[in-house]
């Protein structure tokens, strides 16, 4: 009887374990070996898609690199053109400065010449006036002497 009791108790424990397992939710499903095999067979299509995405991204990067290098080349051309224009403008500016100095020097020389001519005319006029005045004074003294000598 003791064995029967134990067998009945074992059956009760098994029934209790089954009931308790039904009450608890089932654990999350894990991929079985069959799902893994399916993923392996789908892997080549995934690799192809990844390769296509990689190639597209690489092509975009190449296009951007080409655009960037073209932009750099254009900016260098513009910089060279601006530098050459700047040099030409500097040369023109230097030439204009030299012409301005030459014109200022010509104006100064003209002013000097005009002053010299003015001084020469004034001196000549003063000499002519002095000559006439001296002649009059000389005649006056000569006239005074004659007048005294006649007396």
């Amino acid at each position: 009887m003791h064995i029967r009791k134990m067998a009945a108790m074992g059956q009760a424990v098994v029934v209790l374990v089954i009931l308790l397992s039904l009450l608890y939710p089932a654990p999350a499903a894990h991929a079985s070996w069959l799902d893994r095999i399916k993923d392996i067979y789908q892997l080549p299509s995934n690799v192809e898609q990844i390769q296509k995405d990689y190639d597209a991204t690489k092509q975009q990067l190449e296009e951007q690199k080409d655009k960037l290098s073209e932009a750099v080349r254009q900016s260098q051309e513009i910089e060279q053109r601006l530098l050459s224009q700047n040099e030409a403008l500097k040369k023109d500016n230097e030439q204009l400065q030299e012409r301005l100095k030459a014109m200022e020097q010509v104006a100064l020389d003209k002013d000097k010449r005009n002053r010299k001519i003015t001084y020469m005319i004034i001196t000549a006029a003063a000499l002519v006036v002095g000559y006439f005045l001296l002649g009059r004074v000389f005649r006056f003294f000569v006239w005074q002497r004659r007048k005294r000598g006649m007396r």
Side-chain angles (χ1 to χ4, degrees):
M1 172 145 146
H2 191 44
I3 293 184
R4 282 189 190 164
K5 226 180 185 185
M6 285 204 27
M9 243 162 99
Q11 286 177 353
V13 168
V14 169
V15 169
L16 187 63
V17 168
I18 290 174
L19 285 175
L20 285 175
S21 67
L22 290 177
L23 291 175
Y24 285 111
H30 295 288
S32 67
W33 60 274
L34 184 60
D35 291 332
R36 289 186 184 174
I37 290 175
K38 286 181 183 178
D39 285 343
I40 289 173
Y41 285 115
Q42 290 177 356
L43 186 64
S45 66
N46 289 344
V47 169
E48 288 175 9
Q49 181 63 36
I50 291 171
Q51 184 66 35
K52 287 178 184 176
D53 292 343
Y54 171 76
D55 291 339
T57 304
K58 186 177 177 182
Q59 181 66 28
Q60 287 176 350
L61 287 174
E62 288 294 324
E63 290 172 1
Q64 288 178 354
K65 180 182 171 187
D66 292 342
K67 287 179 183 178
L68 181 62
S69 64
E70 179 65 22
V72 166
R73 185 189 61 78
Q74 287 177 352
S75 68
Q76 287 174 344
E77 287 176 2
I78 290 171
E79 181 182 6
Q80 288 297 330
R81 187 179 49 201
L82 290 176
L83 286 173
S84 65
Q85 285 178 353
N86 191 23
E87 288 299 319
L89 289 174
K90 279 183 183 178
K91 288 179 183 177
D92 289 346
N93 190 24
E94 289 173 1
Q95 289 175 352
L96 289 173
Q97 289 291 333
E98 290 174 7
R99 287 179 62 192
L100 180 64
K101 286 180 183 179
M103 291 173 71
E104 287 174 349
Q105 188 62 40
V106 166
L108 287 174
D109 291 345
K110 188 176 179 181
D111 286 343
K112 276 184 180 179
R113 185 189 53 164
N114 288 343
R115 269 187 261 126
K116 281 183 182 179
I117 291 172
T118 303
Y119 292 148
M120 288 169 57
I121 290 173
I122 290 172
T123 304
L127 286 174
V128 169
V129 169
Y131 173 74
F132 284 116
L133 284 176
L134 190 62
R136 292 288 177 195
V137 169
F138 183 70
R139 284 185 188 173
F140 177 73
F141 284 129
V142 170
W143 179 70
Q144 287 288 339
R145 271 191 194 172
R146 272 193 196 169
K147 204 173 170 187
R148 276 190 219 155
M150 289 186 163
R151 283 192 204 170

